[in-house]
Amino acid sequence: MEKYNLIVGQSGGPTAVINCSLYGVIKQCLESEEIGTVYGMVNGIEGFLKGNVIDLKEEFRDPEKLELLKQTPAAFLGSCRYKLPPIDETEVYEEMFDKFNDLNIGAFLYIGGNDSMDTAGKLAAYGRRHGSDIRFLGVPKTIDNDLVGTDHTPGYGSAAKYIAATVRDISIDAGAYDLKSVTILEIMGRHAGWLCAASALARNEHEHNPMLIYLPETPFHMEQFVQNVKDALEKEKNVVVCVSEGIRDEEGRLICEYKGKAEVDSFGHKKLTGAAKLLEAAIMSEIPAVKCRSMEFSLTQRSSAVLASGRDKEEAEQVGRVAVRAAIAGESHQMVCMERAEGEEYKIDYVLKDVVEIGNKEKLIPSWWITKDGTDVTDDFIDYVKPLIEGECDIKYQDGLPLYVHRSRASM
Amino acid sequence: MEKYNLIVGQSGGPTAVINCSLYGVIKQCLESEEIGTVYGMVNGIEGFLKGNVIDLKEEFRDPEKLELLKQTPAAFLGSCRYKLPPIDETEVYEEMFDKFNDLNIGAFLYIGGNDSMDTAGKLAAYGRRHGSDIRFLGVPKTIDNDLVGTDHTPGYGSAAKYIAATVRDISIDAGAYDLKSVTILEIMGRHAGWLCAASALARNEHEHNPMLIYLPETPFHMEQFVQNVKDALEKEKNVVVCVSEGIRDEEGRLICEYKGKAEVDSFGHKKLTGAAKLLEAAIMSEIPAVKCRSMEFSLTQRSSAVLASGRDKEEAEQVGRVAVRAAIAGESHQMVCMERAEGEEYKIDYVLKDVVEIGNKEKLIPSWWITKDGTDVTDDFIDYVKPLIEGECDIKYQDGLPLYVHRSRASM
C-alpha cells in the first residue's frame, strides 16, 4: 500500500496539555510506516482554508525540540473557532477536499472540544457521501470536562490541579492575619461546574477551605449565600468561597448580569466575568466587619506549564497516538474516548465513539455529586477527580523560566 | 556566658519565601550554642501581646518538617499589621519587655517590610533608653522590593519569577487565535512599580510581550495609552499590556479611582483594584474591532510555591541566618541588607544597616531604568532583575499538590 499523508489541527480554547496530544500524533506518525508526511494546519481549518500549513516532520527534525513541545502550553499550531456549514452547502467542502487531494491526505485529525467534533463529523459525513476514503478522527481536548462519551477530557486534570493548588495557596495566604476574612474566587465554567468543583481538592486534614463551592448546576440564591457565609464565619475566621463564572439564579438569570448585560466578545460569547465582584459587594454590605476580597482565576488556569498534571499529560499524548493508530486501521467519523476501569486502581482504556454522539452536546456534573444544599461536592466526586491531578512534570528551564518551543512561519 | 532565648516574628504581607527566612533563623539557632530556646510569635507582636507564642525547636523536632517549611508559602507564624506607638507611650512597651524577661529573651528578630522595621527600631530604642540588653534585628521581606538600603528584598525575586512566567503563559495563550487582541494585566504595586516592571522578563527572541508596561513612577495619560495600544497593534496582532495597580495621572489621581473612590479595607488601605478593567473599557470603546480582556494577578503573585525563585529562597534563608549571627555578636537596631558586588558575576554580601535608615521609607524605580516614553523599562533594569528569578525548586508533592507544613496551636 502506498504511503499517505496525515494532517492535524487544533481548535477551540487552549489547554496546558493540548500540545501533548499534538506530540502524541507526531510521535505515532514517526513510528508508523504507513504515514508519509505529517502536516499541521495553522489556526485550524480556518487557517487551512487560507493555505496555512506546515510540515511537522520538518518542524521537529530536532528530537529535543519535539520533547519541549510537551511542556509548552497553549495551541502550538494556533487555534480557531470556525463552524462549518451544513454539508449540503458544498462550496467550502469542495475547496477543502481539493486541498486534501493536493496534499495527498489520507487522514485528518482534529484536536478540540465539542465544536471541533462537529467539524470532524461534518467532514467525515461529506467525505462519505462523496466517496472519499480520507479518515476523519477527533482527539478530545477541553479544560471544561464537558464532553459526553468520555470519562474526562485531556486538559481538565491540569486545570483542576492548578485550581486546587492555587486555592490552597490563596487560603494559606488569606489566613495569615488574625482576623475574619472572606475571599471569593471566580473559576471558569459557563454551564458545567467541573473546574470550580475541583477546588474541593485544596482541602486536607489541615486546610478547611474552600468552605463553600457554588456551581452553575444548582440555582444560586443571594440571600442564602450571605447566610452560608455568616454560618461559615461562625466556624472559621478564614473563609474561602469558590464560584463558577456561570452561576445563575432560579430563573436562569446569570449572577454576573445582575449589574447589567454581560459584554459579548468578538466570537459572540458573553464575557461571564464579575460574579465574584458582585458577591464581594454583597458581603461587604451585609457583613461589613469582615475583610472581603475577590479575584478571578482567568487565563492562568488553562495555561500553567508548571502545574500541569503528569497523568493528564500522559493521557493527552495517548489520545493523540490512539487517533493515529485508528486512522491507520481505517476508522473514521470517531472520537477517541477514555473509559475508566472499575475497581480501586486507576486505569484508562481508550475506545472510539461516533463523533455525532459527542459533537454539540454538554456534560454537566450529575446531581448526586453535589450536596443537597448546593454548597459542596460529594466524596464520590472527590474519588472521581483526585487521580486526574496526580503526577508532576520535570520542566526544563532557561533563564529562570520554563522553556517553550515556537512555531516557524507557515511555509506552504 | 549563660544561654538566652531568641524570639522571632513575621509581619506584613506574606511572600513565597518568608518562611525560608524563618527556616534560616531556626537552623542558625540550632547550630549556635549561645541560643537556648527559639520562640515564635504567632501573628507578630499583636499575637505576642496576647500571649500567642510557640516553641519552634519543639514544633520542628522532626527535621523533615523543618525542610518542608522552605516550600510552604505565606507566613507560617501568622502575620499582623500592628503599629507601635511612640516610645514615650510606655505602657505597651513595659508589657512587652516584661514578657521578654519572663521568657528570658536575649534577641528579638522581626521578619517584615518597612512597617516591621519601624517596630524593630522602636523596640530597640526603648530598650536602649531603659538599659535592656536585648538585641533587636530586622530581617527584610517584601514582594514590593521597596525597602531602601538593600539591593533588593527577599520575596521580590519569587514574585518577579511568577509574574514573568505567567505573563509569558498568558501571552502564548492569547496568541492562539488569528485575530487582533489586547490583554491587560494588573500587577501589584501601590507606589513602586518593581513587580510590574519584572513582566519585561517574559520577553525573549520569540516572545514580544508585554509590549507596553505602565508604572506608578510615570504619570499615566489615558489618550496616550490608547494611542500606544493602536501603535502596538500595527506591529503585532497579540498585544499584552502590564500595568501596576497604583498607576496615576499627572495630578496624582489614581486611575482605579476614575470610576469612584476606591474602597478602604479594614487596615485603612485603599483597595487598588480596577485599573485594568477601566483600561479594558477604554480600549473596547476606542478600538472596538479588537478582542480585549483584562485580569488581575492578585494574591497568587506572592503565594506561588512552585514558581518560587531558587536564588530568592537561598537569600531569604541567608538573611535569617545572618540576623541570628548578628544578634549573637551583640548587634542591635539593625536590618540585614544585601549588597550586590560589582562585576559580571552575581554575588551578594550581607551587611547590617541602622533600621532607622530603612523604616517608613520607600524605594521607587529610578527614572533612568524607565524608558523616556514611560511604556517600558531599560536594559539596565533587566540586568538588575534577571539574576533574581534564577534557580528552580525541587518541590515535594502529596496527592498531586505541593506538601506544606502547618502550625500547631499556640501552646503558651
Side-chain angles (χ1 to χ4, degrees):
Chain A
M1 186 188 161
E2 216 179 313
K3 285 195 180 198
Y4 50 83
N5 300 328
L6 181 145
I7 192 162
V8 57
Q10 295 173 317
S11 173
T15 79
V17 303
I18 185 171
N19 290 332
C20 292
S21 293
L22 180 61
Y23 171 91
V25 168
I26 297 169
K27 249 330 217 191
Q28 189 64 52
C29 286
L30 290 171
E31 296 166 10
S32 306
E33 53 188 24
E34 294 86 348
I35 307 291
T37 301
V38 191
Y39 292 112
M41 303 172 230
V42 174
N43 295 117
I45 53 166
E46 191 175 15
F48 178 71
L49 283 165
K50 292 180 191 161
N52 284 335
V53 172
I54 57 172
D55 180 334
L56 290 169
K57 279 194 178 170
E58 189 62 26
E59 180 84 7
F60 289 104
R61 246 181 327 180
D62 174 3
E64 266 182 53
K65 184 176 176 186
L66 185 55
E67 291 306 312
L68 286 177
L69 179 60
K70 280 200 282 189
Q71 70 172 48
T72 303
F76 176 82
L77 290 173
S79 185
C80 72
R81 290 193 193 274
Y82 185 89
K83 209 169 166 70
L84 282 172
I87 60 170
D88 299 327
E89 297 173 29
T90 56
E91 197 181 346
V92 64
Y93 293 96
E94 280 167 20
E95 196 184 331
M96 289 189 80
F97 277 76
D98 281 349
K99 284 181 194 288
F100 292 152
N101 287 334
D102 289 348
L103 294 171
N104 189 28
I105 300 299
F108 173 106
L109 268 52
Y110 217 36
I111 309 170
N114 32 30
D115 289 345
S116 310
M117 294 312 130
D118 177 71
T119 298
K122 281 175 174 158
L123 285 168
Y126 179 91
R128 198 183 280 167
R129 181 183 291 182
H130 295 269
S132 164
D133 57 2
I134 303 175
R135 297 96 194 247
F136 295 89
L137 276 299
V139 180
K141 170 262 14 165
T142 169
I143 61 165
D144 294 323
N145 200 37
D146 59 354
L147 289 190
V148 301
T150 184
D151 179 75
H152 59 279
T153 55
Y156 174 60
S158 294
K161 187 185 185 100
Y162 175 89
I163 287 164
T166 307
V167 169
R168 189 180 284 177
D169 287 350
I170 287 173
S171 175
I172 293 175
D173 184 287
Y177 295 103
D178 185 22
L179 51 82
K180 290 198 178 238
S181 71
V182 177
T183 309
I184 303 168
L185 306 176
E186 183 171 318
I187 294 169
M188 281 184 178
R190 287 164 181 269
H191 303 110
W194 297 103
L195 290 169
C196 187
S199 66
L201 293 173
R203 295 194 287 244
N204 62 16
E205 71 269 35
H206 300 288
E207 181 51 57
H208 57 276
N209 277 312
M211 292 183 76
L212 297 164
I213 297 174
Y214 296 95
L215 309 170
E217 283 87 350
T218 309
F220 184 88
H221 301 265
M222 191 62 87
E223 279 167 34
Q224 187 56 52
F225 161 72
V226 173
Q227 189 56 50
N228 292 342
V229 172
K230 283 181 181 167
D231 294 345
L233 284 165
E234 292 293 314
K235 288 183 216 142
E236 300 282 349
K237 65 184 174 71
N238 171 25
V239 174
V240 174
V241 181
C242 292
V243 297
S244 290
E245 60 185 1
I247 49 168
R248 56 199 78 211
D249 63 22
E250 202 97 74
E251 283 82 48
R253 206 169 140 219
L254 284 160
I255 304 305
C256 66
E257 289 196 323
Y258 274 21
K259 266 201 153 176
K261 278 275 164 218
E263 287 153 5
V264 174
D265 73 12
S266 45
F267 296 129
H269 288 135
K270 277 184 184 178
K271 280 186 178 177
L272 298 193
T273 69
K277 210 53 166 186
L278 221 122
L279 302 190
E280 179 191 356
I283 296 300
M284 288 180 71
S285 128
E286 299 294 322
I287 321 178
V290 161
K291 180 182 171 83
C292 186
R293 268 179 304 203
S294 68
M295 65 176 279
E296 297 169 11
F297 275 15
S298 196
L299 296 182
T300 47
Q301 61 199 301
R302 72 180 189 200
S303 59
S304 168
V306 292
L307 277 169
S309 148
R311 176 161 278 153
D312 192 24
K313 287 177 93 153
E314 173 59 28
E315 291 176 346
E317 179 184 334
Q318 284 308 320
V319 291
R321 283 179 176 273
V322 170
V324 173
R325 292 201 293 266
I328 291 171
E331 298 284 352
S332 186
H333 208 275
Q334 309 280 319
M335 184 183 89
V336 180
C337 291
M338 298 197 276
E339 281 184 353
R340 195 187 299 211
E342 296 283 331
E344 283 289 293
E345 210 186 332
Y346 179 86
K347 194 179 162 295
I348 288 294
D349 291 316
Y350 297 88
V351 299
L352 299 177
K353 292 193 183 169
D354 194 314
V355 283
V356 169
E357 289 173 28
I358 295 150
N360 302 316
K361 287 177 191 157
E362 208 167 33
K363 183 171 74 178
L364 303 183
I365 302 183
S367 58
W368 53 90
W369 280 357
I370 301 171
T371 57
K372 281 230 171 74
D373 66 356
T375 68
D376 205 347
V377 290
T378 66
D379 289 345
D380 284 345
F381 172 75
I382 300 284
D383 291 342
Y384 162 81
V385 72
K386 204 170 180 179
L388 309 186
I389 70 164
E390 284 171 2
E392 283 67 55
C393 316
D394 192 21
I395 301 279
K396 285 204 174 53
Y397 286 79
Q398 190 174 62
D399 295 333
L401 298 176
L403 182 56
Y404 300 149
V405 287
H406 295 265
R407 192 177 71 232
S408 316
R409 298 268 164 193
S411 50
M412 315 183 72
Chain B
M1 185 191 164
E2 216 179 312
K3 284 195 181 198
Y4 50 83
N5 301 327
L6 181 144
I7 191 162
V8 57
Q10 296 173 316
S11 173
T15 79
V17 303
I18 185 170
N19 289 333
C20 292
S21 292
L22 180 60
Y23 171 90
V25 169
I26 297 169
K27 248 331 217 192
Q28 188 65 51
C29 287
L30 292 171
E31 296 166 11
S32 306
E33 53 189 25
E34 294 87 347
I35 306 292
T37 301
V38 191
Y39 292 112
M41 304 172 228
V42 174
N43 294 117
I45 53 167
E46 191 174 15
F48 178 73
L49 283 164
K50 294 180 191 160
N52 283 334
V53 172
I54 57 173
D55 180 334
L56 289 170
K57 280 193 178 170
E58 188 63 27
E59 179 85 8
F60 290 104
R61 247 182 328 181
D62 174 4
E64 265 181 54
K65 184 176 176 187
L66 186 54
E67 291 306 311
L68 285 178
L69 180 60
K70 282 200 282 187
Q71 71 173 46
T72 303
F76 177 83
L77 290 173
S79 185
C80 72
R81 291 192 192 275
Y82 184 89
K83 210 169 166 69
L84 283 172
I87 60 171
D88 299 327
E89 298 172 28
T90 56
E91 196 180 345
V92 64
Y93 293 96
E94 280 167 19
E95 197 184 332
M96 288 190 80
F97 277 77
D98 282 350
K99 285 182 193 286
F100 292 151
N101 287 334
D102 290 348
L103 294 170
N104 189 29
I105 299 298
F108 173 106
L109 267 52
Y110 217 37
I111 309 171
N114 32 31
D115 289 345
S116 310
M117 295 312 129
D118 176 72
T119 298
K122 281 174 174 159
L123 286 167
Y126 179 91
R128 198 183 281 167
R129 181 183 292 181
H130 296 269
S132 163
D133 56 2
I134 303 174
R135 298 94 195 249
F136 295 89
L137 275 301
V139 180
K141 169 261 20 163
T142 170
I143 61 164
D144 294 324
N145 201 37
D146 59 354
L147 290 190
V148 302
T150 184
D151 178 74
H152 59 280
T153 54
Y156 175 59
S158 294
K161 187 185 185 100
Y162 175 88
I163 287 163
T166 308
V167 169
R168 188 180 286 177
D169 286 351
I170 287 172
S171 176
I172 293 175
D173 184 288
Y177 295 103
D178 185 21
L179 51 81
K180 289 196 179 242
S181 72
V182 177
T183 309
I184 303 167
L185 306 176
E186 183 171 319
I187 295 169
M188 282 184 177
R190 287 163 182 270
H191 302 110
W194 296 104
L195 289 169
C196 187
S199 67
L201 293 172
R203 294 194 287 244
N204 62 15
E205 72 268 36
H206 300 289
E207 182 51 57
H208 57 276
N209 278 311
M211 292 183 76
L212 297 165
I213 296 173
Y214 296 95
L215 309 169
E217 284 85 350
T218 309
F220 185 87
H221 302 263
M222 192 61 88
E223 280 168 33
Q224 187 57 53
F225 161 71
V226 173
Q227 189 56 51
N228 291 343
V229 172
K230 283 181 181 168
D231 293 345
L233 285 165
E234 292 293 313
K235 288 183 215 140
E236 299 282 350
K237 65 185 173 70
N238 171 25
V239 174
V240 174
V241 181
C242 292
V243 298
S244 291
E245 60 185 1
I247 49 168
R248 55 199 78 211
D249 63 21
E250 203 95 76
E251 284 81 47
R253 206 169 140 221
L254 285 160
I255 304 305
C256 66
E257 289 196 323
Y258 274 20
K259 267 203 154 174
K261 279 274 163 219
E263 287 153 5
V264 174
D265 73 14
S266 45
F267 296 129
H269 288 136
K270 276 184 183 177
K271 280 187 178 175
L272 298 194
T273 67
K277 207 68 173 167
L278 222 121
L279 301 190
E280 179 192 354
I283 295 300
M284 287 179 72
S285 128
E286 299 294 322
I287 322 179
V290 162
K291 180 181 172 81
C292 187
R293 268 179 305 202
S294 68
M295 64 176 280
E296 296 169 14
F297 276 14
S298 197
L299 297 181
T300 47
Q301 62 201 298
R302 72 182 189 200
S303 59
S304 169
V306 291
L307 276 170
S309 146
R311 176 162 279 151
D312 191 25
K313 287 178 93 153
E314 173 59 27
E315 291 176 347
E317 178 184 336
Q318 284 309 319
V319 291
R321 284 179 175 272
V322 170
V324 173
R325 292 200 295 264
I328 291 170
E331 298 284 353
S332 186
H333 207 277
Q334 310 280 320
M335 184 183 89
V336 180
C337 291
M338 298 197 275
E339 281 183 352
R340 193 186 302 211
E342 297 281 332
E344 284 287 296
E345 210 185 333
Y346 179 86
K347 193 178 163 297
I348 288 294
D349 291 317
Y350 299 88
V351 299
L352 299 176
K353 293 193 183 171
D354 194 315
V355 283
V356 169
E357 290 173 28
I358 294 148
N360 302 316
K361 288 178 190 155
E362 208 167 33
K363 184 171 74 180
L364 303 183
I365 303 183
S367 58
W368 53 90
W369 280 356
I370 301 170
T371 57
K372 283 233 169 73
D373 65 356
T375 66
D376 206 345
V377 290
T378 66
D379 288 345
D380 283 346
F381 171 76
I382 300 285
D383 290 342
Y384 162 81
V385 73
K386 204 169 180 180
L388 309 185
I389 70 163
E390 284 172 1
E392 281 68 54
C393 316
D394 193 20
I395 301 279
K396 283 203 174 55
Y397 286 79
Q398 190 173 61
D399 295 333
L401 297 177
L403 182 57
Y404 300 148
V405 287
H406 295 264
R407 192 177 72 233
S408 317
R409 299 268 163 192
S411 51
M412 315 183 73

